[in-house]
Amino acid sequence: MDANAFWDLLQQCLNFGNDLQIQALSPAIKNGIHTIFLVLKPTASMILALFTILEIYRVYMRTEQLMMPGPMVMMYAVTWTLFKVAIAIFLIRHMEEILWAVYDLSASVMSVTQSVQIGTSGVPGGITKEQIDELFREADGNIISNVLFSFQLLIVRLGLSIAMVYINIILWSRNIEIYLLAALSAFPMVSFVSEEYSAIGKSFLKHFTAVCLRGAVMIVVIKLYNVMVIAIPLDGSDLLSLGISMLQCLAVLCVALSISGRLAKTLTGAM
C-alpha cells in the first residue's frame, strides 16, 4: 500500500458513518401498529377494571389500619384510585402520540449528530498528507514493515465493513422492537393504577426511550471514532505503530457499538 492508498483509507475512517442511511419508521407499518393497538385496547380496559378493584381494596385495607372512620376510608380509597385510573386512561389514549414523539426526538438527535463533519483541518494533532508521505519515505525498502502494515490496514478495512453491517442490523432490529413495543404499549400503562405494579409501566417507558436513544448513542460512538482516528499521534511513529493505533481505534469502535444498548439504558435508568 502506498501513501495515497493509505490516505484514502484514512479519509474513509474519518468519514465513517457519514453515509449511514437512517431508516425512518414506515407509515404503513405505523398504521398497522395503530390497528393492533386498537384491537388490544379493550383487553387492556378489562385488565384496568380488575386492577382498579384490587387497588381500591388494597388502599381500603391500608387506610383502615390507621383507625380512620369507615366512610372516610372508603372515600379516600375510591378517590385516590380513581385519580390513578384517570392517569392510566389518559396514558392509554395518548400512548401512541407519546411514543412517536419520543422516537421523533431521538431521530432528530441522530440527524443532528450525524451532520457533524470531522475533517483534518483545524484539529489539534490532526494527521496531514505531508506527515503520511514522510512516514512512507522512511519505511521505503523495509519489506517486512510494509507487509505487516498492509495486513493491519486490511484488518481495519474489513473491520469497518463489518462494523457498518452490524450498525445497519442494529438499526433495523431497533425499528422492529419499537414496532412491537408500540403495539403492546396499552398493557404496561394499565399498571399505573396499582401502586404495587406501577413499576412495570415506568420500566416500559424507560425501556422504550432507551431503544430509541440507542441509535443516537451509536452515532455519537461513530463520531468519537472519527475524532480518535484524526488524533492519532505521528511524532516518533513508524508505519507499524500507526497501524496498531488504527487497530486500537477500531477495537474501541467495536466494543462501544456492542455496549451501545447498555449505555442507552444507563442514560434512561432502564433495567
Side-chain angles (χ1 to χ4, degrees):
M1 175 176 288
D2 57 14
N4 292 328
F6 173 73
W7 183 253
D8 292 338
L9 176 60
L10 182 61
Q11 292 302 313
Q12 179 183 348
C13 295
L14 296 177
N15 296 317
F16 178 74
N18 289 344
D19 57 348
L20 179 64
Q21 298 295 325
I22 301 176
Q23 298 294 332
L25 298 181
S26 170
I29 297 181
K30 288 179 66 174
N31 291 333
I33 295 300
H34 177 69
T35 302
I36 297 175
F37 182 84
L38 294 179
V39 171
L40 296 178
K41 186 180 290 187
T43 304
S45 300
M46 295 176 59
I47 299 176
L48 176 62
L50 176 61
F51 271 45
T52 301
I53 296 173
L54 293 176
E55 185 64 11
I56 291 176
Y57 176 75
R58 188 194 64 80
V59 176
Y60 176 82
M61 294 301 296
R62 174 177 294 183
T63 52
E64 189 179 37
Q65 295 175 358
L66 301 177
M67 303 300 179
M68 295 176 62
M72 293 183 60
V73 173
M74 181 57 67
M75 182 179 299
Y76 172 80
V78 172
T79 302
W80 178 241
T81 304
L82 290 181
F83 173 73
K84 292 190 289 186
V85 169
I87 294 177
I89 292 176
F90 174 84
L91 290 174
I92 292 174
R93 287 182 176 178
H94 300 280
M95 184 45 53
E96 287 184 293
E97 292 88 340
I98 295 174
L99 296 183
W100 298 141
V102 172
Y103 173 82
D104 291 339
L105 179 61
S106 67
S108 298
V109 174
M110 290 178 63
S111 178
V112 171
T113 306
Q114 190 181 24
S115 64
V116 176
Q117 298 294 326
I118 305 297
T120 56
S121 59
V123 180
I127 299 174
T128 63
K129 183 65 165 57
E130 290 73 17
Q131 291 174 307
I132 300 300
D133 292 336
E134 180 63 25
L135 283 178
F136 272 85
R137 281 194 296 268
E138 293 177 356
D140 189 23
N142 191 336
I143 300 178
I144 297 179
S145 177
N146 288 332
V147 170
L148 292 177
F149 182 66
S150 299
F151 181 71
Q152 290 172 332
L153 297 186
L154 177 62
I155 296 178
V156 171
R157 191 184 299 274
L158 180 61
L160 291 178
S161 300
I162 296 176
M164 182 57 66
V165 172
Y166 176 77
I167 291 172
N168 283 293
I169 292 175
I170 293 299
L171 292 178
W172 274 102
S173 62
R174 165 180 168 269
N175 285 358
I176 294 175
E177 187 171 1
I178 288 174
Y179 294 141
L180 293 175
L181 291 174
L184 302 173
S185 59
F187 295 111
M189 296 305 100
V190 171
S191 66
F192 279 99
V193 175
S194 173
E195 182 177 342
E196 183 178 359
Y197 297 105
S198 61
I200 297 176
K202 296 176 183 178
S203 297
F204 172 83
L205 293 176
K206 292 178 180 179
H207 181 74
F208 184 87
T209 304
V211 172
C212 293
L213 194 59
R214 184 177 186 183
V217 172
M218 294 178 69
I219 299 298
V220 171
V221 168
I222 292 173
K223 293 303 177 181
L224 288 177
Y225 168 75
N226 299 148
V227 173
M228 289 175 60
V229 171
I230 205 172
I232 293 177
L234 290 184
D235 295 338
S237 300
D238 54 16
L239 290 183
L240 289 180
S241 60
L242 179 59
I244 292 175
S245 297
M246 295 188 68
L247 288 176
Q248 290 173 341
C249 293
L250 178 63
V252 172
L253 171 67
C254 295
V255 172
L257 288 175
S258 65
I259 65 173
S260 58
R262 190 187 312 168
L263 292 175
K265 290 182 179 180
T266 300
L267 293 175
T268 59
M271 299 299 294

